[in-house]
Amino acid sequence: MNDVADLAAADGLLKKSTVLREALQFLGQELWPEYGRHNQNALTAQRRRRWTAFVAIWFGTIAINLAIAQLVLSQVSPDLTAVVTVIEAITVILAAVAVIIGFFLHFHHRWLTERQAAERLRSLKFQSLGWHELWCDPPAWRERVKAQVTLLKNITAHDAEHWATADDNVAPQTAKDPDGPVDPRDVAALADYYCVKRLEYQSAYFERQSKTADRNSWATRYHVSAIAVWLSVVAVLLHGLLAISLMSSARPGAADGAGHEAAHRVEVILVGLAALLPVIGFGCRAWSAAFEFPRSRNLF
């Protein structure tokens, strides 16, 4: 979006195209500051939403697991119960605070609104370079750009939602004839500029985002939720077998093995694992679903 370096170099076809060079200078003055503001606001809101979601999901998951662990430790190691209770209370408070902050500050809505405003300003830049006024009536072109920038820089959450959900029944706007001769060098410069700044940059952005989303899709790629559930089933089966074994050893006349107490502790731990593992799987699934990493990976 920022053409300062390109204009400073002013080499190749861009140096020969006065129309494109002046247009980019004007867009840099009128459009770039608004784009930068909305883009920065979107990144800030996205970062805050990510942190509140992280704290709410993972600390909530930890709190549930600590509650289960507290019950297990009461049978296995009672001395640690008090410590786990304190940690559980802290995680519960942090998760609750994150949920309340996210609910009242609406980071998600602000992120989507600012992101839409920034991307529509980006589209406006490249769209305006195809308007016929650029070639036949530069003052009218500048006024048209200013009007569109004013409209987009004041976008609200309601406007963004309406634009995203409204039915698109309007026929695509067709390009108008420039109403006059156009220097072939201007056309060549505009085509080269579009190929590099719009297509190549966008392609590189998609590639970066795809790799990032792929890294963040580890829970889906490695089937963490499914593995957690199956391990939970295994823990239940082992618990059942161990319980049968303990019942047999507890019958009248049966030998009381020296490892009976240890076996009982293992039994309690298996019950705890059977409860803990699905919660961990749910936390991974909730984290992945909150940001739709697999969908973003496929989309990009």
Side-chain angles (χ1 to χ4, degrees):
M1 281 291 291
N2 193 348
D3 300 301
V4 173
D6 300 282
L7 291 171
D11 54 356
L13 291 172
L14 186 59
K15 183 178 181 180
K16 300 177 182 178
S17 176
T18 304
V19 174
L20 180 58
R21 188 168 64 252
E22 292 179 352
L24 293 178
Q25 289 173 344
F26 175 79
L27 291 171
Q29 297 170 358
E30 294 293 330
L31 191 146
W32 168 250
E34 292 302 326
Y35 169 83
R37 179 172 66 87
H38 285 290
N39 183 60
Q40 185 58 48
N41 290 341
L43 293 175
T44 300
Q46 183 185 35
R47 184 168 56 252
R48 290 174 179 173
R49 176 180 179 264
R50 185 181 293 272
W51 274 107
T52 53
F54 177 88
V55 174
I57 292 173
W58 291 116
F59 279 76
T61 301
I62 293 172
I64 297 172
N65 285 334
L66 288 175
I68 299 172
Q70 184 180 352
L71 296 176
V72 174
L73 290 173
S74 66
Q75 301 295 320
V76 177
S77 182
D79 296 338
L80 295 177
T81 304
V83 177
V84 174
T85 302
V86 173
I87 299 175
E88 178 192 349
I90 294 174
T91 56
V92 168
I93 293 173
L94 290 174
V97 170
V99 170
I100 293 172
I101 290 176
F103 182 80
F104 284 102
L105 297 185
H106 304 292
F107 293 135
H108 183 65
H109 292 168
R110 186 182 180 189
W111 167 41
L112 293 179
T113 301
E114 297 289 347
R115 185 77 271 151
Q116 187 186 121
E119 293 308 314
R120 289 175 69 179
L121 284 167
R122 184 202 301 273
S123 296
L124 173 63
K125 171 185 176 179
F126 294 99
Q127 183 185 15
S128 66
L129 294 176
W131 292 346
H132 71 286
E133 291 96 338
L134 177 63
W135 311 102
C136 63
D137 192 354
W141 177 82
R142 288 192 287 269
E143 290 301 319
R144 186 178 176 184
V145 170
K146 287 182 179 180
Q148 290 296 315
V149 170
T150 301
L151 181 66
L152 292 176
K153 74 179 183 180
N154 296 320
I155 191 173
T156 63
H158 176 75
D159 296 333
E161 182 179 1
H162 176 74
W163 183 87
T165 58
D167 293 333
D168 187 8
N169 296 321
V170 181
Q173 183 180 6
T174 57
K176 296 182 179 180
D177 191 279
D179 296 329
V182 177
D183 192 328
R185 292 177 298 181
D186 290 328
V187 178
L190 180 59
D192 285 352
Y193 178 84
Y194 188 89
C195 286
V196 174
K197 283 286 190 169
R198 184 58 168 169
L199 302 183
E200 291 185 10
Y201 276 46
Q202 196 72 37
S203 177
Y205 170 77
F206 285 157
E207 183 177 3
R208 290 196 306 272
Q209 291 296 97
S210 176
K211 292 179 179 178
T212 300
D214 185 61
R215 287 195 302 269
N216 292 331
S217 300
W218 55 269
T220 301
R221 183 167 59 252
Y222 297 116
H223 308 289
V224 174
S225 297
I227 292 174
V229 171
W230 280 111
L231 289 176
S232 175
V233 173
V234 171
V236 171
L237 292 175
L238 292 176
H239 167 265
L241 294 174
L242 187 58
I244 294 174
S245 175
L246 289 175
M247 288 175 61
S248 299
S249 64
R251 291 176 182 174
D256 188 9
H260 184 83
E261 182 66 25
H264 176 68
R265 291 192 175 191
V266 172
E267 183 185 18
V268 174
I269 292 173
L270 288 173
V271 173
L273 288 175
L276 284 170
L277 290 169
V279 176
I280 295 173
F282 172 79
C284 294
R285 191 174 184 86
W287 173 251
S288 180
F291 296 95
E292 298 182 321
F293 293 126
R295 178 179 177 275
S296 297
R297 175 192 59 193
N298 297 336
L299 178 65
F300 285 118

PDB file of all heavy atoms in Angstrom, residues 123-153:
ATOM      1  N   SER A 123      -8.781  -1.843  -1.584  1.00  0.00           N
ATOM      2  CA  SER A 123      -9.454  -2.085  -2.868  1.00  0.00           C
ATOM      3  C   SER A 123      -9.738  -0.780  -3.597  1.00  0.00           C
ATOM      4  O   SER A 123      -9.648  -0.715  -4.823  1.00  0.00           O
ATOM      5  CB  SER A 123     -10.757  -2.853  -2.632  1.00  0.00           C
ATOM      6  OG  SER A 123     -10.506  -4.132  -2.103  1.00  0.00           O
ATOM      7  N   LEU A 124     -10.098   0.255  -2.823  1.00  0.00           N
ATOM      8  CA  LEU A 124     -10.380   1.554  -3.436  1.00  0.00           C
ATOM      9  C   LEU A 124      -9.158   2.095  -4.164  1.00  0.00           C
ATOM     10  O   LEU A 124      -9.280   2.677  -5.250  1.00  0.00           O
ATOM     11  CB  LEU A 124     -10.821   2.548  -2.350  1.00  0.00           C
ATOM     12  CG  LEU A 124     -10.987   4.001  -2.804  1.00  0.00           C
ATOM     13  CD1 LEU A 124     -12.083   4.112  -3.857  1.00  0.00           C
ATOM     14  CD2 LEU A 124     -11.293   4.901  -1.611  1.00  0.00           C
ATOM     15  N   LYS A 125      -7.987   1.890  -3.587  1.00  0.00           N
ATOM     16  CA  LYS A 125      -6.769   2.402  -4.230  1.00  0.00           C
ATOM     17  C   LYS A 125      -6.612   1.825  -5.633  1.00  0.00           C
ATOM     18  O   LYS A 125      -6.428   2.556  -6.607  1.00  0.00           O
ATOM     19  CB  LYS A 125      -5.550   2.037  -3.378  1.00  0.00           C
ATOM     20  CG  LYS A 125      -4.220   2.330  -4.069  1.00  0.00           C
ATOM     21  CD  LYS A 125      -3.044   1.846  -3.260  1.00  0.00           C
ATOM     22  CE  LYS A 125      -1.744   2.071  -4.024  1.00  0.00           C
ATOM     23  NZ  LYS A 125      -0.565   1.633  -3.249  1.00  0.00           N
ATOM     24  N   PHE A 126      -6.690   0.504  -5.738  1.00  0.00           N
ATOM     25  CA  PHE A 126      -6.473  -0.127  -7.039  1.00  0.00           C
ATOM     26  C   PHE A 126      -7.675   0.072  -7.964  1.00  0.00           C
ATOM     27  O   PHE A 126      -7.518   0.165  -9.178  1.00  0.00           O
ATOM     28  CB  PHE A 126      -6.173  -1.610  -6.848  1.00  0.00           C
ATOM     29  CG  PHE A 126      -4.883  -1.858  -6.139  1.00  0.00           C
ATOM     30  CD1 PHE A 126      -4.849  -2.150  -4.789  1.00  0.00           C
ATOM     31  CD2 PHE A 126      -3.678  -1.773  -6.820  1.00  0.00           C
ATOM     32  CE1 PHE A 126      -3.652  -2.359  -4.127  1.00  0.00           C
ATOM     33  CE2 PHE A 126      -2.472  -1.981  -6.176  1.00  0.00           C
ATOM     34  CZ  PHE A 126      -2.460  -2.268  -4.825  1.00  0.00           C
ATOM     35  N   GLN A 127      -8.863   0.142  -7.393  1.00  0.00           N
ATOM     36  CA  GLN A 127     -10.045   0.385  -8.213  1.00  0.00           C
ATOM     37  C   GLN A 127     -10.004   1.781  -8.818  1.00  0.00           C
ATOM     38  O   GLN A 127     -10.354   1.977  -9.988  1.00  0.00           O
ATOM     39  CB  GLN A 127     -11.306   0.218  -7.359  1.00  0.00           C
ATOM     40  CG  GLN A 127     -12.611   0.384  -8.136  1.00  0.00           C
ATOM     41  CD  GLN A 127     -13.822   0.330  -7.220  1.00  0.00           C
ATOM     42  OE1 GLN A 127     -13.689   0.452  -6.004  1.00  0.00           O
ATOM     43  NE2 GLN A 127     -14.990   0.142  -7.799  1.00  0.00           N
ATOM     44  N   SER A 128      -9.558   2.757  -8.016  1.00  0.00           N
ATOM     45  CA  SER A 128      -9.561   4.141  -8.504  1.00  0.00           C
ATOM     46  C   SER A 128      -8.594   4.338  -9.664  1.00  0.00           C
ATOM     47  O   SER A 128      -8.784   5.237 -10.495  1.00  0.00           O
ATOM     48  CB  SER A 128      -9.188   5.088  -7.360  1.00  0.00           C
ATOM     49  OG  SER A 128      -7.851   4.877  -6.931  1.00  0.00           O
ATOM     50  N   LEU A 129      -7.552   3.503  -9.729  1.00  0.00           N
ATOM     51  CA  LEU A 129      -6.600   3.627 -10.841  1.00  0.00           C
ATOM     52  C   LEU A 129      -7.208   3.177 -12.160  1.00  0.00           C
ATOM     53  O   LEU A 129      -6.596   3.365 -13.219  1.00  0.00           O
ATOM     54  CB  LEU A 129      -5.334   2.813 -10.539  1.00  0.00           C
ATOM     55  CG  LEU A 129      -4.497   3.312  -9.356  1.00  0.00           C
ATOM     56  CD1 LEU A 129      -3.339   2.376  -9.084  1.00  0.00           C
ATOM     57  CD2 LEU A 129      -3.978   4.731  -9.622  1.00  0.00           C
ATOM     58  N   GLY A 130      -8.399   2.586 -12.105  1.00  0.00           N
ATOM     59  CA  GLY A 130      -9.088   2.206 -13.327  1.00  0.00           C
ATOM     60  C   GLY A 130     -10.242   3.124 -13.689  1.00  0.00           C
ATOM     61  O   GLY A 130     -10.936   2.881 -14.687  1.00  0.00           O
ATOM     62  N   TRP A 131     -10.467   4.152 -12.899  1.00  0.00           N
ATOM     63  CA  TRP A 131     -11.543   5.093 -13.212  1.00  0.00           C
ATOM     64  C   TRP A 131     -11.158   5.959 -14.410  1.00  0.00           C
ATOM     65  O   TRP A 131     -10.016   6.423 -14.523  1.00  0.00           O
ATOM     66  CB  TRP A 131     -11.836   5.990 -12.010  1.00  0.00           C
ATOM     67  CG  TRP A 131     -12.444   5.248 -10.854  1.00  0.00           C
ATOM     68  CD1 TRP A 131     -12.988   4.003 -10.869  1.00  0.00           C
ATOM     69  CD2 TRP A 131     -12.540   5.719  -9.507  1.00  0.00           C
ATOM     70  NE1 TRP A 131     -13.437   3.646  -9.633  1.00  0.00           N
ATOM     71  CE2 TRP A 131     -13.180   4.681  -8.763  1.00  0.00           C
ATOM     72  CE3 TRP A 131     -12.169   6.877  -8.858  1.00  0.00           C
ATOM     73  CZ2 TRP A 131     -13.444   4.809  -7.393  1.00  0.00           C
ATOM     74  CZ3 TRP A 131     -12.427   6.999  -7.507  1.00  0.00           C
ATOM     75  CH2 TRP A 131     -13.060   5.976  -6.790  1.00  0.00           C
ATOM     76  N   HIS A 132     -12.147   6.216 -15.255  1.00  0.00           N
ATOM     77  CA  HIS A 132     -11.838   6.967 -16.480  1.00  0.00           C
ATOM     78  C   HIS A 132     -11.490   8.421 -16.182  1.00  0.00           C
ATOM     79  O   HIS A 132     -10.801   9.077 -16.968  1.00  0.00           O
ATOM     80  CB  HIS A 132     -13.020   6.900 -17.452  1.00  0.00           C
ATOM     81  CG  HIS A 132     -14.211   7.699 -17.017  1.00  0.00           C
ATOM     82  ND1 HIS A 132     -15.046   7.311 -15.988  1.00  0.00           N
ATOM     83  CD2 HIS A 132     -14.691   8.889 -17.473  1.00  0.00           C
ATOM     84  CE1 HIS A 132     -15.998   8.214 -15.832  1.00  0.00           C
ATOM     85  NE2 HIS A 132     -15.813   9.181 -16.718  1.00  0.00           N
ATOM     86  N   GLU A 133     -11.954   8.950 -15.030  1.00  0.00           N
ATOM     87  CA  GLU A 133     -11.633  10.352 -14.704  1.00  0.00           C
ATOM     88  C   GLU A 133     -10.132  10.555 -14.532  1.00  0.00           C
ATOM     89  O   GLU A 133      -9.643  11.679 -14.707  1.00  0.00           O
ATOM     90  CB  GLU A 133     -12.343  10.766 -13.398  1.00  0.00           C
ATOM     91  CG  GLU A 133     -13.851  10.871 -13.499  1.00  0.00           C
ATOM     92  CD  GLU A 133     -14.527   9.597 -13.037  1.00  0.00           C
ATOM     93  OE1 GLU A 133     -13.856   8.540 -13.043  1.00  0.00           O
ATOM     94  OE2 GLU A 133     -15.706   9.669 -12.660  1.00  0.00           O
ATOM     95  N   LEU A 134      -9.414   9.507 -14.183  1.00  0.00           N
ATOM     96  CA  LEU A 134      -7.973   9.645 -13.994  1.00  0.00           C
ATOM     97  C   LEU A 134      -7.304  10.139 -15.264  1.00  0.00           C
ATOM     98  O   LEU A 134      -6.303  10.867 -15.208  1.00  0.00           O
ATOM     99  CB  LEU A 134      -7.380   8.292 -13.574  1.00  0.00           C
ATOM    100  CG  LEU A 134      -5.853   8.229 -13.403  1.00  0.00           C
ATOM    101  CD1 LEU A 134      -5.404   9.159 -12.279  1.00  0.00           C
ATOM    102  CD2 LEU A 134      -5.398   6.805 -13.140  1.00  0.00           C
ATOM    103  N   TRP A 135      -7.840   9.763 -16.411  1.00  0.00           N
ATOM    104  CA  TRP A 135      -7.213  10.084 -17.686  1.00  0.00           C
ATOM    105  C   TRP A 135      -7.806  11.323 -18.344  1.00  0.00           C
ATOM    106  O   TRP A 135      -7.096  12.031 -19.073  1.00  0.00           O
ATOM    107  CB  TRP A 135      -7.367   8.899 -18.644  1.00  0.00           C
ATOM    108  CG  TRP A 135      -6.973   7.614 -18.010  1.00  0.00           C
ATOM    109  CD1 TRP A 135      -7.800   6.648 -17.504  1.00  0.00           C
ATOM    110  CD2 TRP A 135      -5.648   7.158 -17.760  1.00  0.00           C
ATOM    111  NE1 TRP A 135      -7.078   5.627 -16.959  1.00  0.00           N
ATOM    112  CE2 TRP A 135      -5.748   5.909 -17.110  1.00  0.00           C
ATOM    113  CE3 TRP A 135      -4.379   7.689 -18.026  1.00  0.00           C
ATOM    114  CZ2 TRP A 135      -4.632   5.176 -16.726  1.00  0.00           C
ATOM    115  CZ3 TRP A 135      -3.275   6.953 -17.646  1.00  0.00           C
ATOM    116  CH2 TRP A 135      -3.400   5.714 -17.000  1.00  0.00           C
ATOM    117  N   CYS A 136      -9.105  11.594 -18.071  1.00  0.00           N
ATOM    118  CA  CYS A 136      -9.738  12.714 -18.770  1.00  0.00           C
ATOM    119  C   CYS A 136     -10.056  13.903 -17.871  1.00  0.00           C
ATOM    120  O   CYS A 136     -10.218  15.026 -18.365  1.00  0.00           O
ATOM    121  CB  CYS A 136     -11.025  12.245 -19.456  1.00  0.00           C
ATOM    122  SG  CYS A 136     -12.306  11.657 -18.325  1.00  0.00           S
ATOM    123  N   ASP A 137     -10.168  13.683 -16.543  1.00  0.00           N
ATOM    124  CA  ASP A 137     -10.541  14.771 -15.634  1.00  0.00           C
ATOM    125  C   ASP A 137      -9.921  14.524 -14.257  1.00  0.00           C
ATOM    126  O   ASP A 137     -10.613  14.129 -13.309  1.00  0.00           O
ATOM    127  CB  ASP A 137     -12.065  14.850 -15.524  1.00  0.00           C
ATOM    128  CG  ASP A 137     -12.526  16.138 -14.840  1.00  0.00           C
ATOM    129  OD1 ASP A 137     -11.651  16.895 -14.352  1.00  0.00           O
ATOM    130  OD2 ASP A 137     -13.747  16.367 -14.783  1.00  0.00           O
ATOM    131  N   PRO A 138      -8.610  14.742 -14.113  1.00  0.00           N
ATOM    132  CA  PRO A 138      -7.932  14.467 -12.838  1.00  0.00           C
ATOM    133  C   PRO A 138      -8.560  15.144 -11.625  1.00  0.00           C
ATOM    134  O   PRO A 138      -8.653  14.517 -10.566  1.00  0.00           O
ATOM    135  CB  PRO A 138      -6.506  14.966 -13.089  1.00  0.00           C
ATOM    136  CG  PRO A 138      -6.328  14.823 -14.570  1.00  0.00           C
ATOM    137  CD  PRO A 138      -7.657  15.161 -15.160  1.00  0.00           C
ATOM    138  N   PRO A 139      -9.001  16.428 -11.702  1.00  0.00           N
ATOM    139  CA  PRO A 139      -9.647  17.036 -10.526  1.00  0.00           C
ATOM    140  C   PRO A 139     -10.892  16.267 -10.084  1.00  0.00           C
ATOM    141  O   PRO A 139     -11.111  16.076  -8.875  1.00  0.00           O
ATOM    142  CB  PRO A 139      -9.993  18.453 -11.003  1.00  0.00           C
ATOM    143  CG  PRO A 139      -8.994  18.740 -12.074  1.00  0.00           C
ATOM    144  CD  PRO A 139      -8.805  17.446 -12.782  1.00  0.00           C
ATOM    145  N   ALA A 140     -11.715  15.829 -11.058  1.00  0.00           N
ATOM    146  CA  ALA A 140     -12.902  15.049 -10.708  1.00  0.00           C
ATOM    147  C   ALA A 140     -12.506  13.712 -10.097  1.00  0.00           C
ATOM    148  O   ALA A 140     -13.178  13.212  -9.180  1.00  0.00           O
ATOM    149  CB  ALA A 140     -13.769  14.831 -11.943  1.00  0.00           C
ATOM    150  N   TRP A 141     -11.428  13.138 -10.576  1.00  0.00           N
ATOM    151  CA  TRP A 141     -10.943  11.871 -10.034  1.00  0.00           C
ATOM    152  C   TRP A 141     -10.523  12.036  -8.574  1.00  0.00           C
ATOM    153  O   TRP A 141     -10.864  11.201  -7.721  1.00  0.00           O
ATOM    154  CB  TRP A 141      -9.757  11.376 -10.865  1.00  0.00           C
ATOM    155  CG  TRP A 141      -9.138  10.115 -10.353  1.00  0.00           C
ATOM    156  CD1 TRP A 141      -9.556   8.841 -10.571  1.00  0.00           C
ATOM    157  CD2 TRP A 141      -7.966  10.012  -9.516  1.00  0.00           C
ATOM    158  NE1 TRP A 141      -8.733   7.942  -9.936  1.00  0.00           N
ATOM    159  CE2 TRP A 141      -7.740   8.636  -9.270  1.00  0.00           C
ATOM    160  CE3 TRP A 141      -7.092  10.943  -8.969  1.00  0.00           C
ATOM    161  CZ2 TRP A 141      -6.681   8.179  -8.507  1.00  0.00           C
ATOM    162  CZ3 TRP A 141      -6.033  10.485  -8.196  1.00  0.00           C
ATOM    163  CH2 TRP A 141      -5.838   9.124  -7.970  1.00  0.00           C
ATOM    164  N   ARG A 142      -9.827  13.118  -8.284  1.00  0.00           N
ATOM    165  CA  ARG A 142      -9.389  13.360  -6.911  1.00  0.00           C
ATOM    166  C   ARG A 142     -10.586  13.579  -5.982  1.00  0.00           C
ATOM    167  O   ARG A 142     -10.593  13.088  -4.846  1.00  0.00           O
ATOM    168  CB  ARG A 142      -8.434  14.559  -6.870  1.00  0.00           C
ATOM    169  CG  ARG A 142      -7.062  14.249  -7.460  1.00  0.00           C
ATOM    170  CD  ARG A 142      -6.072  15.353  -7.146  1.00  0.00           C
ATOM    171  NE  ARG A 142      -6.352  16.554  -7.930  1.00  0.00           N
ATOM    172  CZ  ARG A 142      -5.830  16.818  -9.106  1.00  0.00           C
ATOM    173  NH1 ARG A 142      -4.965  15.960  -9.654  1.00  0.00           N
ATOM    174  NH2 ARG A 142      -6.119  17.915  -9.763  1.00  0.00           N
ATOM    175  N   GLU A 143     -11.578  14.298  -6.437  1.00  0.00           N
ATOM    176  CA  GLU A 143     -12.778  14.524  -5.620  1.00  0.00           C
ATOM    177  C   GLU A 143     -13.530  13.221  -5.377  1.00  0.00           C
ATOM    178  O   GLU A 143     -14.055  12.986  -4.282  1.00  0.00           O
ATOM    179  CB  GLU A 143     -13.691  15.548  -6.305  1.00  0.00           C
ATOM    180  CG  GLU A 143     -13.142  16.958  -6.309  1.00  0.00           C
ATOM    181  CD  GLU A 143     -12.880  17.477  -4.901  1.00  0.00           C
ATOM    182  OE1 GLU A 143     -13.720  17.219  -4.009  1.00  0.00           O
ATOM    183  OE2 GLU A 143     -11.840  18.131  -4.701  1.00  0.00           O
ATOM    184  N   ARG A 144     -13.570  12.374  -6.396  1.00  0.00           N
ATOM    185  CA  ARG A 144     -14.242  11.083  -6.238  1.00  0.00           C
ATOM    186  C   ARG A 144     -13.509  10.206  -5.227  1.00  0.00           C
ATOM    187  O   ARG A 144     -14.138   9.536  -4.407  1.00  0.00           O
ATOM    188  CB  ARG A 144     -14.334  10.388  -7.593  1.00  0.00           C
ATOM    189  CG  ARG A 144     -15.146   9.099  -7.575  1.00  0.00           C
ATOM    190  CD  ARG A 144     -15.227   8.502  -8.970  1.00  0.00           C
ATOM    191  NE  ARG A 144     -15.932   7.222  -8.938  1.00  0.00           N
ATOM    192  CZ  ARG A 144     -16.083   6.426 -10.001  1.00  0.00           C
ATOM    193  NH1 ARG A 144     -15.586   6.799 -11.185  1.00  0.00           N
ATOM    194  NH2 ARG A 144     -16.723   5.272  -9.887  1.00  0.00           N
ATOM    195  N   VAL A 145     -12.193  10.220  -5.274  1.00  0.00           N
ATOM    196  CA  VAL A 145     -11.399   9.455  -4.308  1.00  0.00           C
ATOM    197  C   VAL A 145     -11.642   9.981  -2.900  1.00  0.00           C
ATOM    198  O   VAL A 145     -11.842   9.207  -1.951  1.00  0.00           O
ATOM    199  CB  VAL A 145      -9.904   9.511  -4.665  1.00  0.00           C
ATOM    200  CG1 VAL A 145      -9.067   8.921  -3.531  1.00  0.00           C
ATOM    201  CG2 VAL A 145      -9.629   8.766  -5.956  1.00  0.00           C
ATOM    202  N   LYS A 146     -11.618  11.311  -2.738  1.00  0.00           N
ATOM    203  CA  LYS A 146     -11.836  11.905  -1.416  1.00  0.00           C
ATOM    204  C   LYS A 146     -13.193  11.517  -0.848  1.00  0.00           C
ATOM    205  O   LYS A 146     -13.319  11.207   0.349  1.00  0.00           O
ATOM    206  CB  LYS A 146     -11.732  13.430  -1.514  1.00  0.00           C
ATOM    207  CG  LYS A 146     -10.318  13.956  -1.696  1.00  0.00           C
ATOM    208  CD  LYS A 146     -10.336  15.483  -1.729  1.00  0.00           C
ATOM    209  CE  LYS A 146      -8.930  16.046  -1.886  1.00  0.00           C
ATOM    210  NZ  LYS A 146      -8.932  17.536  -1.915  1.00  0.00           N
ATOM    211  N   ALA A 147     -14.224  11.524  -1.703  1.00  0.00           N
ATOM    212  CA  ALA A 147     -15.568  11.171  -1.244  1.00  0.00           C
ATOM    213  C   ALA A 147     -15.626   9.726  -0.760  1.00  0.00           C
ATOM    214  O   ALA A 147     -16.231   9.426   0.281  1.00  0.00           O
ATOM    215  CB  ALA A 147     -16.576  11.405  -2.366  1.00  0.00           C
ATOM    216  N   GLN A 148     -14.976   8.828  -1.490  1.00  0.00           N
ATOM    217  CA  GLN A 148     -14.979   7.424  -1.104  1.00  0.00           C
ATOM    218  C   GLN A 148     -14.169   7.195   0.172  1.00  0.00           C
ATOM    219  O   GLN A 148     -14.552   6.391   1.025  1.00  0.00           O
ATOM    220  CB  GLN A 148     -14.415   6.567  -2.242  1.00  0.00           C
ATOM    221  CG  GLN A 148     -15.319   6.482  -3.460  1.00  0.00           C
ATOM    222  CD  GLN A 148     -16.630   5.792  -3.143  1.00  0.00           C
ATOM    223  OE1 GLN A 148     -16.671   4.762  -2.488  1.00  0.00           O
ATOM    224  NE2 GLN A 148     -17.720   6.370  -3.615  1.00  0.00           N
ATOM    225  N   VAL A 149     -13.049   7.898   0.305  1.00  0.00           N
ATOM    226  CA  VAL A 149     -12.241   7.766   1.521  1.00  0.00           C
ATOM    227  C   VAL A 149     -13.028   8.255   2.725  1.00  0.00           C
ATOM    228  O   VAL A 149     -13.021   7.624   3.796  1.00  0.00           O
ATOM    229  CB  VAL A 149     -10.921   8.549   1.376  1.00  0.00           C
ATOM    230  CG1 VAL A 149     -10.194   8.617   2.720  1.00  0.00           C
ATOM    231  CG2 VAL A 149     -10.015   7.893   0.333  1.00  0.00           C
ATOM    232  N   THR A 150     -13.723   9.382   2.596  1.00  0.00           N
ATOM    233  CA  THR A 150     -14.542   9.908   3.688  1.00  0.00           C
ATOM    234  C   THR A 150     -15.623   8.918   4.090  1.00  0.00           C
ATOM    235  O   THR A 150     -15.908   8.730   5.278  1.00  0.00           O
ATOM    236  CB  THR A 150     -15.192  11.232   3.267  1.00  0.00           C
ATOM    237  OG1 THR A 150     -14.171  12.180   2.930  1.00  0.00           O
ATOM    238  CG2 THR A 150     -16.036  11.798   4.400  1.00  0.00           C
ATOM    239  N   LEU A 151     -16.212   8.265   3.090  1.00  0.00           N
ATOM    240  CA  LEU A 151     -17.265   7.284   3.371  1.00  0.00           C
ATOM    241  C   LEU A 151     -16.726   6.078   4.130  1.00  0.00           C
ATOM    242  O   LEU A 151     -17.362   5.588   5.072  1.00  0.00           O
ATOM    243  CB  LEU A 151     -17.902   6.828   2.049  1.00  0.00           C
ATOM    244  CG  LEU A 151     -19.050   5.822   2.144  1.00  0.00           C
ATOM    245  CD1 LEU A 151     -20.254   6.458   2.835  1.00  0.00           C
ATOM    246  CD2 LEU A 151     -19.433   5.333   0.758  1.00  0.00           C
ATOM    247  N   LEU A 152     -15.547   5.612   3.750  1.00  0.00           N
ATOM    248  CA  LEU A 152     -15.004   4.393   4.349  1.00  0.00           C
ATOM    249  C   LEU A 152     -14.320   4.637   5.688  1.00  0.00           C
ATOM    250  O   LEU A 152     -14.304   3.750   6.541  1.00  0.00           O
ATOM    251  CB  LEU A 152     -14.013   3.732   3.376  1.00  0.00           C
ATOM    252  CG  LEU A 152     -14.617   3.157   2.101  1.00  0.00           C
ATOM    253  CD1 LEU A 152     -13.521   2.624   1.185  1.00  0.00           C
ATOM    254  CD2 LEU A 152     -15.603   2.042   2.430  1.00  0.00           C
ATOM    255  N   LYS A 153     -13.755   5.822   5.879  1.00  0.00           N
ATOM    256  CA  LYS A 153     -13.013   6.050   7.123  1.00  0.00           C
ATOM    257  C   LYS A 153     -13.946   6.194   8.326  1.00  0.00           C
ATOM    258  O   LYS A 153     -13.505   6.070   9.475  1.00  0.00           O
ATOM    259  CB  LYS A 153     -12.117   7.280   7.003  1.00  0.00           C
ATOM    260  CG  LYS A 153     -12.847   8.608   7.036  1.00  0.00           C
ATOM    261  CD  LYS A 153     -11.857   9.754   6.934  1.00  0.00           C
ATOM    262  CE  LYS A 153     -12.537  11.110   7.027  1.00  0.00           C
ATOM    263  NZ  LYS A 153     -11.563  12.222   6.917  1.00  0.00           N
TER     264      LYS A 153
END
